[in-house]
Amino acid sequence: MTTPARAPELRTQALLCLVETDPAAKAAGVAALVAAARAGTLAIDPAADLAPPGGIPGRPARPELVPPRLVGRRSMATVEGRAMLVHALAHIEFNAVNLALDAVWRFPGMPQAYYTDWLRVAGEEACHFEMLAAHLRTLGWSYGDFAGHDSLWEMVAKTSGDVLARMALVPRTMEARGLDAIPPLRAKLAQAGDEAAARILDILLREEVGHVEIGNRWYFFLCEQRGLEPVSTYDALTVRYKAPVLKGPFNVEARRLAGFSEAELARYVGDGLASAG
């Protein structure tokens, strides 16, 4: 009698995707995981205590990683300037794939919906990366041709010991800044005549609202589980982990859709830094 094959386990497979260094192979691996999850052929073991291998996160030798101030900027009036902006966005999305995969494998003991939520994020971020990388090629450059910075992953690494800190400071802090930044970037690209890039940013903004909402939802879940008040806890975590200080203008409507509380939104408006986006 043949023993039935065991279904692949999601968290283990996410870790394998995370250490993959080739961006195209990583995106393909994530897409395969998403398809398997939709087909019901993935198992999820929240109790598995996985040991991290070396090489986290897997990424290619290029782009060169430099401090943010050294990344460089060019005028939107030039093709190279637009390519540099598209490259910077592609780099953010590649890192966002890695952070979503890290959220899946790293933290045991969460409800199964937590893992499927972050797999969904990884799949959408991989699509974002592929769209931006493909558009970059139409401009005459490839991912890795310009420098990038590592600020997003640095916060992922800092919060690797606590899922509450991760939810507070990566999706609802670092990624939420994208909700504020995308509308003016979209306007610049459209004004420069790059309507294709502008349409990609429309997709990014719509789906990033959902990603930040997932971070907010699990942050509030963990606060309730631990008996913590969300706003004061968030403030304490930003100090403890030296998170970036948030600066406006803020896309208040997108942040509302992403699940920020009215108490948090009122602080943005009260600072006189709000923007409709």
Side-chain angles (χ1 to χ4, degrees):
M1 179 175 170
T2 304
T3 303
R6 295 183 62 184
E9 198 281 313
L10 170 57
R11 295 178 59 222
T12 304
Q13 295 302 310
L15 181 53
L16 292 175
C17 286
L18 178 59
V19 299
E20 171 59 57
T21 59
D22 179 74
K26 189 189 295 282
V30 170
L33 274 184
V34 171
R38 286 176 180 162
T41 57
L42 273 181
I44 302 175
D45 183 2
D49 188 12
L50 304 177
I56 291 180
R59 49 192 170 193
R62 298 171 65 238
E64 177 189 6
L65 299 179
V66 299
R69 62 186 173 80
L70 298 181
V71 170
R73 290 174 178 82
R74 295 289 187 275
S75 167
M76 289 295 97
T78 69
V79 176
E80 184 180 13
R82 296 196 298 276
M84 289 184 74
L85 175 56
V86 172
H87 185 277
L89 293 167
H91 183 62
I92 290 169
E93 297 303 310
F94 180 75
N95 276 281
V97 177
N98 283 335
L99 78 85
L101 292 170
D102 195 80
V104 172
W105 86 266
R106 186 175 293 278
F107 300 109
M110 293 294 286
Q112 288 201 1
Y114 165 89
Y115 302 107
T116 55
D117 275 347
W118 284 105
L119 175 60
R120 173 194 141 195
V121 174
E124 291 179 353
E125 302 287 23
C127 289
H128 297 174
F129 170 76
E130 290 186 306
M131 285 189 292
L132 289 163
H135 185 63
L136 184 62
R137 290 191 291 273
T138 71
L139 300 175
W141 281 268
S142 297
Y143 179 60
D145 285 349
F146 301 105
H149 66 78
D150 208 24
S151 298
L152 181 57
W153 187 262
E154 286 169 1
M155 185 57 71
V156 172
K158 276 193 206 179
T159 56
S160 61
D162 184 5
V163 65
L164 175 69
R166 173 67 61 83
M167 294 298 105
L169 300 179
V170 176
R172 71 191 316 265
T173 299
M174 305 295 287
E175 287 196 283
R177 295 171 78 178
L179 305 183
D180 309 321
I182 288 175
L185 293 177
R186 189 227 186 267
K188 286 181 181 179
L189 287 164
Q191 186 176 20
D194 196 336
E195 289 295 337
R199 288 193 295 272
I200 292 172
L201 290 197
D202 289 337
I203 296 169
L204 263 63
L205 180 59
R206 182 174 65 249
E207 295 187 348
E208 294 295 347
V209 166
H211 302 171
V212 177
E213 188 278 330
I214 286 170
N216 270 322
R217 179 155 32 90
W218 289 109
Y219 173 73
F220 290 126
F221 167 86
L222 289 159
C223 283
E224 182 176 1
Q225 186 182 65
R226 300 184 189 186
L228 300 171
E229 194 284 316
V231 175
S232 60
T233 298
Y234 175 78
D235 290 344
L237 289 168
T238 62
V239 173
R240 185 184 313 164
Y241 288 89
K242 298 182 173 144
V245 176
L246 296 181
K247 297 178 181 178
F250 298 101
N251 189 343
V252 171
E253 185 53 37
R255 284 173 174 265
R256 179 176 284 114
L257 291 172
F260 283 91
S261 70
E262 290 303 318
E264 292 172 301
L265 295 173
R267 296 202 297 186
Y268 303 147
V269 175
D271 286 341
L273 298 171
S275 167

